[in-house]
Amino acid sequence: LVEQRRPVQMVELAGGLGPRSLAFAQKLGVPCLDVDLPDMVAFKSHLLGDAAPPSYVQRPLDLIESDDYVADLGDALRRVSPTVVVTEGLLPYFDAPQRQHIFEQIAALLRHCGGGVYLTDMHHQEAVDRMGPVGFAFRTALHHMTDTVQATLIQDMDEGRTVMKAAGFDQVQGHDPGDFVDALGLVVKDRSSGLTIYEASLAGE
């Protein structure tokens, strides 16, 4: 989806040690901004040394404490469109008000840049409920391992579309990860992951 949207800038929030920002900086040759907590940025910078391509830039940011992502990212964030913002595996750790804060800040960031899309993965409560004991056990184990409180999930796509439009996005659509299996040449078992990929788009100022 990132490639299909042909970004002229990509921003990844809270990517941890994942290689996505680096990979797209190398593959697309466009500015890729890797944003995370200060300790993670310092650690990743130490690991990379001089190996990162020129189009790859790191910046520290606390997604909850910051009330203005645009101002806090400063001149590392370019005003170019389309900009694509990505988060993965992030949202289940935050309660509804914190999620809404993140959505509103990302919408403001995209509006500042001139428009683009936000891509993220979402576990809906209805999907977890369908998985029964397996879904409950997975969530319980995850939050024990990460020492976090289980946040209330978004119920379904209808609720997700409502909260993201309330945050300022113009259009919100959902994608089934299984639809990309053939295009990516993946070999997976014939079962649903329970995930929905959100694509929230927004026009610029």
Side-chain angles (χ1 to χ4, degrees):
L1 281 172
V2 173
E3 290 187 76
Q4 288 174 5
R5 299 305 169 257
R6 299 183 182 279
V8 294
Q9 174 177 243
M10 192 189 87
V11 180
E12 183 171 20
L13 304 176
L17 293 176
R20 179 184 288 109
S21 299
L22 279 166
F24 277 108
Q26 286 186 314
K27 185 171 186 178
L28 301 180
V30 302
C32 290
L33 187 53
D34 192 353
V35 179
D36 217 316
L37 293 170
D39 286 350
M40 178 58 72
V41 169
F43 182 55
K44 196 168 184 177
S45 179
H46 170 72
L47 292 177
L48 288 170
D50 297 328
S55 53
Y56 173 80
V57 179
Q58 291 178 285
R59 284 294 184 274
L61 183 73
D62 188 313
L63 300 182
I64 301 302
E65 294 299 322
S66 173
D67 290 324
D68 192 336
Y69 291 7
V70 171
D72 289 342
L73 292 175
D75 59 6
L77 182 68
R78 303 187 184 186
R79 300 193 72 173
V80 292
S81 177
T83 288
V84 173
V85 177
V86 178
T87 63
E88 181 185 358
L90 175 71
L91 300 176
Y93 297 105
F94 297 109
D95 59 26
Q98 291 173 322
R99 278 197 306 262
Q100 202 66 13
H101 173 77
I102 292 171
F103 293 156
E104 289 169 359
Q105 287 296 315
I106 293 173
L109 183 155
L110 286 173
R111 193 176 298 111
H112 168 83
C113 290
V117 299
Y118 170 41
L119 299 171
T120 192
D121 56 335
M122 191 84 73
H123 271 106
H124 290 142
Q125 187 61 52
E126 66 167 5
V128 174
D129 292 343
R130 275 200 312 270
M131 295 169 72
V134 174
F136 176 79
F138 172 75
R139 288 207 73 206
T140 301
L142 176 66
H143 289 276
H144 277 306
M145 287 187 294
T146 56
D147 195 27
T148 57
V149 177
Q150 286 197 37
T152 302
L153 298 177
I154 289 175
Q155 179 63 30
D156 52 28
M157 191 67 211
D158 287 340
E159 182 184 345
R161 188 175 286 111
T162 297
V163 299
M164 295 193 84
K165 285 192 172 183
F169 292 97
D170 299 323
Q171 300 293 330
V172 183
Q173 61 179 315
H175 300 279
D176 181 348
D179 293 342
F180 299 90
V181 169
D182 291 339
L184 295 172
L186 302 178
V187 179
V188 297
K189 295 180 180 178
D190 187 19
R191 61 182 177 85
S192 172
S193 66
L195 277 175
T196 299
I197 305 301
Y198 275 51
E199 180 177 2
S201 59
L202 188 143
E205 295 175 337

mmCIF file of all heavy atoms in Angstrom, residues 67-101:
data_model
loop_
_atom_site.group_PDB
_atom_site.id
_atom_site.type_symbol
_atom_site.label_atom_id
_atom_site.label_comp_id
_atom_site.label_asym_id
_atom_site.label_seq_id
_atom_site.Cartn_x
_atom_site.Cartn_y
_atom_site.Cartn_z
ATOM 1 N N ASP A 67 1.829 17.631 22.046
ATOM 2 C CA ASP A 67 0.560 18.228 21.626
ATOM 3 C C ASP A 67 0.654 18.854 20.243
ATOM 4 O O ASP A 67 -0.306 19.465 19.778
ATOM 5 C CB ASP A 67 0.117 19.300 22.641
ATOM 6 C CG ASP A 67 -0.323 18.689 23.964
ATOM 7 O OD1 ASP A 67 -0.929 17.599 23.939
ATOM 8 O OD2 ASP A 67 -0.040 19.299 25.016
ATOM 9 N N ASP A 68 1.813 18.718 19.605
ATOM 10 C CA ASP A 68 1.981 19.301 18.273
ATOM 11 C C ASP A 68 3.099 18.557 17.550
ATOM 12 O O ASP A 68 4.262 18.949 17.609
ATOM 13 C CB ASP A 68 2.304 20.793 18.380
ATOM 14 C CG ASP A 68 2.205 21.517 17.051
ATOM 15 O OD1 ASP A 68 2.348 20.857 15.997
ATOM 16 O OD2 ASP A 68 2.000 22.752 17.059
ATOM 17 N N TYR A 69 2.728 17.468 16.860
ATOM 18 C CA TYR A 69 3.734 16.678 16.156
ATOM 19 C C TYR A 69 4.480 17.526 15.132
ATOM 20 O O TYR A 69 5.695 17.387 14.961
ATOM 21 C CB TYR A 69 3.086 15.501 15.430
ATOM 22 C CG TYR A 69 2.527 14.397 16.298
ATOM 23 C CD1 TYR A 69 2.475 14.505 17.692
ATOM 24 C CD2 TYR A 69 2.034 13.231 15.721
ATOM 25 C CE1 TYR A 69 1.948 13.492 18.470
ATOM 26 C CE2 TYR A 69 1.511 12.201 16.491
ATOM 27 C CZ TYR A 69 1.462 12.336 17.861
ATOM 28 O OH TYR A 69 0.925 11.323 18.620
ATOM 29 N N VAL A 70 3.755 18.384 14.439
ATOM 30 C CA VAL A 70 4.365 19.193 13.382
ATOM 31 C C VAL A 70 5.465 20.077 13.951
ATOM 32 O O VAL A 70 6.592 20.112 13.444
ATOM 33 C CB VAL A 70 3.300 20.048 12.664
ATOM 34 C CG1 VAL A 70 3.967 21.047 11.708
ATOM 35 C CG2 VAL A 70 2.320 19.154 11.912
ATOM 36 N N ALA A 71 5.149 20.789 15.032
ATOM 37 C CA ALA A 71 6.141 21.692 15.631
ATOM 38 C C ALA A 71 7.313 20.912 16.211
ATOM 39 O O ALA A 71 8.467 21.314 16.065
ATOM 40 C CB ALA A 71 5.483 22.541 16.717
ATOM 41 N N ASP A 72 7.031 19.770 16.855
ATOM 42 C CA ASP A 72 8.094 19.019 17.517
ATOM 43 C C ASP A 72 9.014 18.305 16.534
ATOM 44 O O ASP A 72 10.171 18.037 16.855
ATOM 45 C CB ASP A 72 7.489 18.018 18.508
ATOM 46 C CG ASP A 72 6.887 18.721 19.723
ATOM 47 O OD1 ASP A 72 7.230 19.893 19.953
ATOM 48 O OD2 ASP A 72 6.075 18.094 20.425
ATOM 49 N N LEU A 73 8.513 17.990 15.346
ATOM 50 C CA LEU A 73 9.369 17.366 14.337
ATOM 51 C C LEU A 73 10.170 18.409 13.556
ATOM 52 O O LEU A 73 11.178 18.075 12.918
ATOM 53 C CB LEU A 73 8.534 16.514 13.379
ATOM 54 C CG LEU A 73 7.922 15.257 14.014
ATOM 55 C CD1 LEU A 73 7.021 14.547 13.017
ATOM 56 C CD2 LEU A 73 9.005 14.305 14.527
ATOM 57 N N GLY A 74 9.730 19.639 13.600
ATOM 58 C CA GLY A 74 10.500 20.744 13.029
ATOM 59 C C GLY A 74 10.771 20.585 11.545
ATOM 60 O O GLY A 74 9.945 20.070 10.789
ATOM 61 N N ASP A 75 11.964 20.997 11.132
ATOM 62 C CA ASP A 75 12.291 21.005 9.706
ATOM 63 C C ASP A 75 12.591 19.614 9.157
ATOM 64 O O ASP A 75 12.817 19.462 7.950
ATOM 65 C CB ASP A 75 13.457 21.953 9.421
ATOM 66 C CG ASP A 75 14.721 21.590 10.192
ATOM 67 O OD1 ASP A 75 14.743 20.541 10.873
ATOM 68 O OD2 ASP A 75 15.704 22.349 10.110
ATOM 69 N N ALA A 76 12.568 18.577 10.014
ATOM 70 C CA ALA A 76 12.717 17.208 9.514
ATOM 71 C C ALA A 76 11.474 16.788 8.730
ATOM 72 O O ALA A 76 11.536 15.894 7.884
ATOM 73 C CB ALA A 76 12.957 16.242 10.667
ATOM 74 N N LEU A 77 10.342 17.441 9.026
ATOM 75 C CA LEU A 77 9.088 17.151 8.341
ATOM 76 C C LEU A 77 8.913 18.137 7.197
ATOM 77 O O LEU A 77 8.780 19.339 7.406
ATOM 78 C CB LEU A 77 7.925 17.277 9.328
ATOM 79 C CG LEU A 77 6.537 16.959 8.784
ATOM 80 C CD1 LEU A 77 6.414 15.469 8.463
ATOM 81 C CD2 LEU A 77 5.470 17.358 9.799
ATOM 82 N N ARG A 78 8.899 17.619 5.974
ATOM 83 C CA ARG A 78 8.790 18.488 4.812
ATOM 84 C C ARG A 78 7.328 18.695 4.426
ATOM 85 O O ARG A 78 6.491 17.829 4.632
ATOM 86 C CB ARG A 78 9.554 17.881 3.629
ATOM 87 C CG ARG A 78 11.016 17.626 3.937
ATOM 88 C CD ARG A 78 11.780 17.191 2.715
ATOM 89 N NE ARG A 78 13.163 16.863 3.037
ATOM 90 C CZ ARG A 78 14.080 16.569 2.132
ATOM 91 N NH1 ARG A 78 13.764 16.546 0.844
ATOM 92 N NH2 ARG A 78 15.317 16.274 2.499
ATOM 93 N N ARG A 79 7.047 19.825 3.849
ATOM 94 C CA ARG A 79 5.684 20.122 3.382
ATOM 95 C C ARG A 79 5.548 19.654 1.945
ATOM 96 O O ARG A 79 5.611 20.445 0.997
ATOM 97 C CB ARG A 79 5.386 21.612 3.521
ATOM 98 C CG ARG A 79 5.473 22.122 4.945
ATOM 99 C CD ARG A 79 4.872 23.502 5.103
ATOM 100 N NE ARG A 79 3.414 23.468 5.017
ATOM 101 C CZ ARG A 79 2.633 24.518 5.261
ATOM 102 N NH1 ARG A 79 3.171 25.672 5.599
ATOM 103 N NH2 ARG A 79 1.328 24.407 5.161
ATOM 104 N N VAL A 80 5.397 18.356 1.774
ATOM 105 C CA VAL A 80 5.288 17.745 0.448
ATOM 106 C C VAL A 80 4.140 16.738 0.467
ATOM 107 O O VAL A 80 3.824 16.140 1.492
ATOM 108 C CB VAL A 80 6.600 17.059 0.032
ATOM 109 C CG1 VAL A 80 7.703 18.066 -0.201
ATOM 110 C CG2 VAL A 80 7.033 16.027 1.076
ATOM 111 N N SER A 81 3.518 16.556 -0.698
ATOM 112 C CA SER A 81 2.374 15.657 -0.824
ATOM 113 C C SER A 81 2.508 14.800 -2.078
ATOM 114 O O SER A 81 2.986 15.297 -3.109
ATOM 115 C CB SER A 81 1.091 16.491 -0.899
ATOM 116 O OG SER A 81 -0.030 15.677 -1.091
ATOM 117 N N PRO A 82 2.105 13.527 -2.006
ATOM 118 C CA PRO A 82 1.505 12.864 -0.854
ATOM 119 C C PRO A 82 2.548 12.379 0.158
ATOM 120 O O PRO A 82 3.576 11.836 -0.210
ATOM 121 C CB PRO A 82 0.777 11.674 -1.465
ATOM 122 C CG PRO A 82 1.560 11.346 -2.696
ATOM 123 C CD PRO A 82 2.067 12.668 -3.219
ATOM 124 N N THR A 83 2.239 12.605 1.427
ATOM 125 C CA THR A 83 2.996 12.042 2.537
ATOM 126 C C THR A 83 2.230 10.829 3.060
ATOM 127 O O THR A 83 1.001 10.870 3.165
ATOM 128 C CB THR A 83 3.177 13.078 3.661
ATOM 129 O OG1 THR A 83 4.110 14.081 3.239
ATOM 130 C CG2 THR A 83 3.703 12.434 4.928
ATOM 131 N N VAL A 84 2.940 9.765 3.347
ATOM 132 C CA VAL A 84 2.329 8.568 3.931
ATOM 133 C C VAL A 84 2.856 8.387 5.345
ATOM 134 O O VAL A 84 4.072 8.373 5.561
ATOM 135 C CB VAL A 84 2.628 7.312 3.093
ATOM 136 C CG1 VAL A 84 2.140 6.054 3.816
ATOM 137 C CG2 VAL A 84 1.955 7.402 1.726
ATOM 138 N N VAL A 85 1.940 8.282 6.307
ATOM 139 C CA VAL A 85 2.284 8.012 7.697
ATOM 140 C C VAL A 85 1.918 6.561 8.005
ATOM 141 O O VAL A 85 0.844 6.092 7.626
ATOM 142 C CB VAL A 85 1.542 8.959 8.657
ATOM 143 C CG1 VAL A 85 1.857 8.616 10.118
ATOM 144 C CG2 VAL A 85 1.904 10.406 8.371
ATOM 145 N N VAL A 86 2.818 5.847 8.698
ATOM 146 C CA VAL A 86 2.614 4.436 9.003
ATOM 147 C C VAL A 86 2.803 4.190 10.493
ATOM 148 O O VAL A 86 3.753 4.695 11.099
ATOM 149 C CB VAL A 86 3.618 3.556 8.222
ATOM 150 C CG1 VAL A 86 3.424 2.085 8.580
ATOM 151 C CG2 VAL A 86 3.467 3.755 6.717
ATOM 152 N N THR A 87 1.892 3.403 11.077
ATOM 153 C CA THR A 87 2.130 2.797 12.389
ATOM 154 C C THR A 87 1.758 1.326 12.292
ATOM 155 O O THR A 87 0.856 0.954 11.541
ATOM 156 C CB THR A 87 1.307 3.451 13.527
ATOM 157 O OG1 THR A 87 -0.093 3.265 13.287
ATOM 158 C CG2 THR A 87 1.621 4.921 13.656
ATOM 159 N N GLU A 88 2.465 0.508 13.046
ATOM 160 C CA GLU A 88 2.144 -0.932 13.056
ATOM 161 C C GLU A 88 2.251 -1.449 14.488
ATOM 162 O O GLU A 88 3.225 -1.183 15.196
ATOM 163 C CB GLU A 88 3.114 -1.717 12.168
ATOM 164 C CG GLU A 88 2.791 -3.205 12.154
ATOM 165 C CD GLU A 88 3.815 -4.028 11.378
ATOM 166 O OE1 GLU A 88 4.761 -3.439 10.821
ATOM 167 O OE2 GLU A 88 3.673 -5.261 11.356
ATOM 168 N N GLY A 89 1.216 -2.189 14.910
ATOM 169 C CA GLY A 89 1.234 -2.804 16.231
ATOM 170 C C GLY A 89 1.217 -1.807 17.367
ATOM 171 O O GLY A 89 1.610 -2.122 18.485
ATOM 172 N N LEU A 90 0.767 -0.600 17.108
ATOM 173 C CA LEU A 90 0.847 0.484 18.094
ATOM 174 C C LEU A 90 -0.448 0.692 18.870
ATOM 175 O O LEU A 90 -0.447 0.828 20.094
ATOM 176 C CB LEU A 90 1.228 1.787 17.377
ATOM 177 C CG LEU A 90 1.241 3.058 18.233
ATOM 178 C CD1 LEU A 90 2.415 3.025 19.206
ATOM 179 C CD2 LEU A 90 1.305 4.298 17.351
ATOM 180 N N LEU A 91 -1.565 0.717 18.166
ATOM 181 C CA LEU A 91 -2.813 1.222 18.742
ATOM 182 C C LEU A 91 -3.383 0.403 19.895
ATOM 183 O O LEU A 91 -4.004 0.979 20.796
ATOM 184 C CB LEU A 91 -3.858 1.380 17.633
ATOM 185 C CG LEU A 91 -3.445 2.349 16.513
ATOM 186 C CD1 LEU A 91 -4.489 2.360 15.418
ATOM 187 C CD2 LEU A 91 -3.215 3.749 17.064
ATOM 188 N N PRO A 92 -3.210 -0.941 19.944
ATOM 189 C CA PRO A 92 -3.804 -1.699 21.057
ATOM 190 C C PRO A 92 -3.271 -1.334 22.433
ATOM 191 O O PRO A 92 -3.876 -1.705 23.439
ATOM 192 C CB PRO A 92 -3.457 -3.157 20.710
ATOM 193 C CG PRO A 92 -3.238 -3.173 19.251
ATOM 194 C CD PRO A 92 -2.618 -1.845 18.945
ATOM 195 N N TYR A 93 -2.169 -0.611 22.490
ATOM 196 C CA TYR A 93 -1.578 -0.263 23.784
ATOM 197 C C TYR A 93 -2.187 1.004 24.393
ATOM 198 O O TYR A 93 -1.860 1.359 25.518
ATOM 199 C CB TYR A 93 -0.065 -0.088 23.641
ATOM 200 C CG TYR A 93 0.627 -1.361 23.230
ATOM 201 C CD1 TYR A 93 1.089 -1.540 21.925
ATOM 202 C CD2 TYR A 93 0.802 -2.398 24.138
ATOM 203 C CE1 TYR A 93 1.713 -2.715 21.543
ATOM 204 C CE2 TYR A 93 1.428 -3.575 23.760
ATOM 205 C CZ TYR A 93 1.878 -3.725 22.464
ATOM 206 O OH TYR A 93 2.492 -4.888 22.083
ATOM 207 N N PHE A 94 -3.056 1.688 23.640
ATOM 208 C CA PHE A 94 -3.576 2.973 24.107
ATOM 209 C C PHE A 94 -5.086 2.922 24.284
ATOM 210 O O PHE A 94 -5.803 2.242 23.529
ATOM 211 C CB PHE A 94 -3.210 4.074 23.111
ATOM 212 C CG PHE A 94 -1.733 4.286 22.976
ATOM 213 C CD1 PHE A 94 -1.061 3.911 21.817
ATOM 214 C CD2 PHE A 94 -1.003 4.853 24.015
ATOM 215 C CE1 PHE A 94 0.301 4.102 21.693
ATOM 216 C CE2 PHE A 94 0.370 5.042 23.898
ATOM 217 C CZ PHE A 94 1.022 4.663 22.740
ATOM 218 N N ASP A 95 -5.572 3.664 25.276
ATOM 219 C CA ASP A 95 -7.011 3.738 25.478
ATOM 220 C C ASP A 95 -7.623 4.691 24.452
ATOM 221 O O ASP A 95 -6.916 5.337 23.667
ATOM 222 C CB ASP A 95 -7.352 4.147 26.908
ATOM 223 C CG ASP A 95 -6.773 5.510 27.301
ATOM 224 O OD1 ASP A 95 -6.553 6.353 26.402
ATOM 225 O OD2 ASP A 95 -6.548 5.729 28.504
ATOM 226 N N ALA A 96 -8.950 4.800 24.463
ATOM 227 C CA ALA A 96 -9.649 5.561 23.427
ATOM 228 C C ALA A 96 -9.215 7.027 23.358
ATOM 229 O O ALA A 96 -8.959 7.535 22.257
ATOM 230 C CB ALA A 96 -11.157 5.445 23.634
ATOM 231 N N PRO A 97 -9.107 7.754 24.481
ATOM 232 C CA PRO A 97 -8.668 9.155 24.383
ATOM 233 C C PRO A 97 -7.240 9.297 23.834
ATOM 234 O O PRO A 97 -6.956 10.221 23.061
ATOM 235 C CB PRO A 97 -8.753 9.663 25.828
ATOM 236 C CG PRO A 97 -9.759 8.785 26.481
ATOM 237 C CD PRO A 97 -9.562 7.436 25.857
ATOM 238 N N GLN A 98 -6.353 8.381 24.210
ATOM 239 C CA GLN A 98 -4.977 8.442 23.697
ATOM 240 C C GLN A 98 -4.941 8.131 22.202
ATOM 241 O O GLN A 98 -4.216 8.787 21.443
ATOM 242 C CB GLN A 98 -4.093 7.467 24.460
ATOM 243 C CG GLN A 98 -3.846 7.864 25.912
ATOM 244 C CD GLN A 98 -3.109 6.800 26.685
ATOM 245 O OE1 GLN A 98 -3.345 5.596 26.503
ATOM 246 N NE2 GLN A 98 -2.208 7.220 27.554
ATOM 247 N N ARG A 99 -5.720 7.134 21.780
ATOM 248 C CA ARG A 99 -5.795 6.826 20.343
ATOM 249 C C ARG A 99 -6.302 8.034 19.565
ATOM 250 O O ARG A 99 -5.782 8.371 18.499
ATOM 251 C CB ARG A 99 -6.723 5.632 20.091
ATOM 252 C CG ARG A 99 -6.119 4.277 20.298
ATOM 253 C CD ARG A 99 -6.950 3.196 19.633
ATOM 254 N NE ARG A 99 -8.343 3.218 20.034
ATOM 255 C CZ ARG A 99 -8.882 2.436 20.975
ATOM 256 N NH1 ARG A 99 -8.115 1.581 21.632
ATOM 257 N NH2 ARG A 99 -10.158 2.511 21.267
ATOM 258 N N GLN A 100 -7.329 8.676 20.117
ATOM 259 C CA GLN A 100 -7.902 9.822 19.420
ATOM 260 C C GLN A 100 -6.888 10.956 19.316
ATOM 261 O O GLN A 100 -6.817 11.641 18.297
ATOM 262 C CB GLN A 100 -9.175 10.296 20.138
ATOM 263 C CG GLN A 100 -10.116 11.102 19.256
ATOM 264 C CD GLN A 100 -10.719 10.258 18.137
ATOM 265 O OE1 GLN A 100 -10.636 9.030 18.142
ATOM 266 N NE2 GLN A 100 -11.325 10.928 17.161
ATOM 267 N N HIS A 101 -6.102 11.137 20.351
ATOM 268 C CA HIS A 101 -5.042 12.146 20.321
ATOM 269 C C HIS A 101 -4.052 11.853 19.195
ATOM 270 O O HIS A 101 -3.674 12.750 18.423
ATOM 271 C CB HIS A 101 -4.313 12.165 21.666
ATOM 272 C CG HIS A 101 -3.107 13.045 21.689
ATOM 273 N ND1 HIS A 101 -3.171 14.413 21.787
ATOM 274 C CD2 HIS A 101 -1.773 12.736 21.612
ATOM 275 C CE1 HIS A 101 -1.945 14.922 21.774
ATOM 276 N NE2 HIS A 101 -1.081 13.929 21.670
#
